[in-house]
């Protein structure tokens, strides 16, 4: 802005000539027109922003004198569309710039444009035209001459920066997911309808399938953009899993937030936190900040002086790098819930060095290595096509996008172990498979359904033969699983501070299972769904916990569906019993995972596990078509329901249940070929 325009805006501000949209406690026109830009990604309600009530409430400014404008810059909520308009008389307005949304990027985002010709105006207004309803404006620049550089350099929040490929915004990435999903579906259909294609045609299809799979896997971390302006690390996730891994013996499963609140209060005792809350990890209630910090005193007694100083320093490290609103959200989440067995690897890794961005970066890279490793295992044991189909589902499904747990710490060890177990069964190594299932189950519990599929197969076979001999054929698998339990339970208890950690984990798991959230997927969600139970219709902003009415109503609806869930589970169990007859052991174990969404509810990001259905590509030709179709359709669901609410959870649950039931029913038909024809190729 030129020197004359700066002086002129100061004079205009002194007269108080600004629109009613400005809050009494908010920024004045000088700050809006001339103040420094806020860091990119700052919360949309950060100090220094003006909140627009709705699309009929513009932010308008009287500049007191007509001036030509050549360039415009607006810093406003990134996921909304705004129009900047100018006028000489405040009656007839000309639209100067339709400011596009930033494709779903969070927080405040800066956009700039050059006008084709200078436009003379006295009045300027910014109005929201489309978005999520939470409209806010931080800064508006009106330039009579184009400054250099243009647009100006932007300050990023600490630990964040420009994405690797700025043009690949979330909207563009979503379009690429649709395109890759469509191509994958065509290729899977090609394989299904032309299984006996000539060798040359088959090679071409394999090359195209490999290319689509590679691009799909690259799409999981948003083609190298990771969390866009937030970088590769998921600090919210890392806070829970790094501190949980490192300090579980002291804080247990109920002391993370209380201890962190106490550490914050000791670091800044004079700060006003009267509007802050801390979630109790005993009963899920939101407590006033000081009360939550007071409860942290009981956990502080478990720390030695040096250990407490280290914990305070680690909490301070996260607090200084998370935006204020996100830090508040951290202490209102639902805690650390990994099993003690997870600590066998995670705790030595967390304690391998002092907390730093570099430390977290290499810890978060382990999940990327695990993804590559499980695809390699599938390729070795089930062939190229199965690995490609698994990679396509992994990269394209909308249930477990990088946004959720990507950039966290060791969130995929259970998945790698589950795939390793199926590969071991495929290669006739049941002892190793049993150990892998036991380890995976101790980490995340639901992988034990792999063992359930084998158990059901043994029981069906024993009943048919009227002899326990089929069960004896599984002894090596069960020996491996028992060995895992016998070794890993006491070893993990030693890492977690004693066997009481397992008792605390059990109690915490019951609390988490009873916690309602809008991103939970499973048949119980379908049976409990009611149109009047949308979170938006049951939210009371006057309560300390605004979502408490919805959570209570949803929990009551889920309890009422338990008889229906039991009936559905028995029906699916009968179908599963038919499907596992005369099938290889690895097929029976794989199909056992299908019980997960039927009898249980899981957070959406755990539904990366259906990639294991890619292993059926050789023995069940429709599997590839069903899996790629589900991956593609999940993005249609994400488009139709951009917010994670009950409607999206319903659609996601229906998709997963259709995949599971459909493939299980297909395999319940008698095989028309030798049972284990899925040879690697």
């Amino acid at each position: 802005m030129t020197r004359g325009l700066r002086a002129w805006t100061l004079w205009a501000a002194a007269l108080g000539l600004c629109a009613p949209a400005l809050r009494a406690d908010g920024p004045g026109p000088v700050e809006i027109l001339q103040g420094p830009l806020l860091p990119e990604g700052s919360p949309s309600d950060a100090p220094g922003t003006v909140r627009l009530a709705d699309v009929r409430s513009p932010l308008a400014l009287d500049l007191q004198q007509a001036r030509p404008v050549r360039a415009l810059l607006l810093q406003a909520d990134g996921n909304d569309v705004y129009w900047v308009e100018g006028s000489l008389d405040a009656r007839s307005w000309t639209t100067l710039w339709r400011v596009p949304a930033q494709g779903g990027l969070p927080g405040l985002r800066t956009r700039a444009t050059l006008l084709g010709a200078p436009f003379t105006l006295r009045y300027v207004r910014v109005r929201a035209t489309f978005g999520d309803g939470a409209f806010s404006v931080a800064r508006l620049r009106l330039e009579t001459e184009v400054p250099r550089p243009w647009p100006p350099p932007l300050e990023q929040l600490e630990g964040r920066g420009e994405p690797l490929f700025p043009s690949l915004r979330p909207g563009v990435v979503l379009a690429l997911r649709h395109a890759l999903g469509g191509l994958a579906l065509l290729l899977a259909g090609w394989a299904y309808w032309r299984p006996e294609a000539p060798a040359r045609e088959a090679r071409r299809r394999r090359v195209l399938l490999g290319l689509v799979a590679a691009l799909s896997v690259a799409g999981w971390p948003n083609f190298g953009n990771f969390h866009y302006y937030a970088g590769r690390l998921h600090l919210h996730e890392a806070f829970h899993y790094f501190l949980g891994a490192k300090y579980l013996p002291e804080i247990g499963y109920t002391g993370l937030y209380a201890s962190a609140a106490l550490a914050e209060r000791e670091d800044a005792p004079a700060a006003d936190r009267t509007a802050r809350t801390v979630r109790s990890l005993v009963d899920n209630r939101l407590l006033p900040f000081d009360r939550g910090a007071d409860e942290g005193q009981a956990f502080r007694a478990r720390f030695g002086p040096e250990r407490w100083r280290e914990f305070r320093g680690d909490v301070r490290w996260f607090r200084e790098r998370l935006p204020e609103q996100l830090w508040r959200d951290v202490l209102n989440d639902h805690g650390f819930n990994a099993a003690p067995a997870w600590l066998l690897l995670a705790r030595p890794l967390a304690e391998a060095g002092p907390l730093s961005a570099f430390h977290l970066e290499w810890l978060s890279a382990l999940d990327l290595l695990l993804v590559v490793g499980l695809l390699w295992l599938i390729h070795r044991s089930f062939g190229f096509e199965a690995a490609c189909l698994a990679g396509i589902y992994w990269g394209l499904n909308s249930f477990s996008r990088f946004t959720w747990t990507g950039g966290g710490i060791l969130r995929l060890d259970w998945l790698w172990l589950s795939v390793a177990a199926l590969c071991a069964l495929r290669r006739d190594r049941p002892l190793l498979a049993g150990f892998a299932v036991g380890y995976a189950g101790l980490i995340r519990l639901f992988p034990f359904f792999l063992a359930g599929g084998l158990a059901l197969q043994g029981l069906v076979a024993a009943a048919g033969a009227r002899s326990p001999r089929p069960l004896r054929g599984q002894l090596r698998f069960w020996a491996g699983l028992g060995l895992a339990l016998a070794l890993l339970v006491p070893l993990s208890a030693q890492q977690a501070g004693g066997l009481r950690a397992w008792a605390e984990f059990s109690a915490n798991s019951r609390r988490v299972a009873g916690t309602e959230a809008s991103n939970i997927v499973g048949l119980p969600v379908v049976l409990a769904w009611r149109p009047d139970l949308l979170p938006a219709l049951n939210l009371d902003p006057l309560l300390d916990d605004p979502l408490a009415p919805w959570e209570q109503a949803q929990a009551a609806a889920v309890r009422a569906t338990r008889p229906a869930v039991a009936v559905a589970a028995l029906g699916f169990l009968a179908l599963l019993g038919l499907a596992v007859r005369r099938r290889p052991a690895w097929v029976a174990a794989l199909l056992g995972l299908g019980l997960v969404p039927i009898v249980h509810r899981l957070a959406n990001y755990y539904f990366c596990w259906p990639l294991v259905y890619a292993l059926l590509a050789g023995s069940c030709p429709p599997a590839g078509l069903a899996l790629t179709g589900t991956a593609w359709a999940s993005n249609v669901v994400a488009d139709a329901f951009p917010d994670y609410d009950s409607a999206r959870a319903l659609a996601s649950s229906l998709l997963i249940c259709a995949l599971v039931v459909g493939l299980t029913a297909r395999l319940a038909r008698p095989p028309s070929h030798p049972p284990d024809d899925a040879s690697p190729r």
Side-chain angles (χ1 to χ4, degrees), residues 117-182:
F119 184 89
T120 301
L121 55 82
R122 171 177 169 174
Y123 303 91
V124 63
R125 72 181 183 185
V126 180
R127 61 188 180 96
T129 62
F130 183 79
D132 60 5
F135 308 121
S136 64
V137 174
R139 300 291 182 265
L140 173 65
R141 297 274 178 87
L142 309 173
E143 305 289 355
T144 58
E145 299 175 0
V146 182
R148 294 289 183 268
W150 182 260
L154 303 176
E155 178 190 353
Q156 305 292 335
L157 289 173
E158 185 176 356
R160 304 179 178 211
E162 289 284 341
L164 185 61
F165 304 109
S167 60
L168 289 179
R169 297 191 181 280
V172 177
V173 170
L174 184 58
L176 289 174
R177 290 180 191 276
H178 278 301
L180 290 170

Side-chain angles (χ1 to χ4, degrees), residues 412-498:
L412 300 175
D413 47 356
W414 63 271
L415 182 62
W416 187 92
L417 286 164
S418 299
V419 170
L422 293 171
C423 292
L425 284 172
R426 174 69 178 83
R427 292 179 172 271
D428 196 25
R429 297 176 181 173
L431 185 70
L432 182 60
F435 190 89
V437 169
Y439 195 175
L442 287 174
I443 292 173
R444 284 295 168 191
L445 297 181
F446 65 86
F448 278 129
F449 281 104
L450 289 162
L454 270 178
L456 180 61
Q457 183 185 52
L459 292 172
V460 168
R466 297 183 180 180
S467 166
R469 184 177 300 175
L471 293 173
R472 289 199 293 267
Q474 296 182 352
L475 284 179
R476 286 190 295 164
F477 173 86
W478 295 106
L481 193 149
L483 181 63
L485 299 180
L487 287 177
L488 301 182
V489 169
L491 285 175
S492 60
Q494 184 180 16
Q495 286 280 13

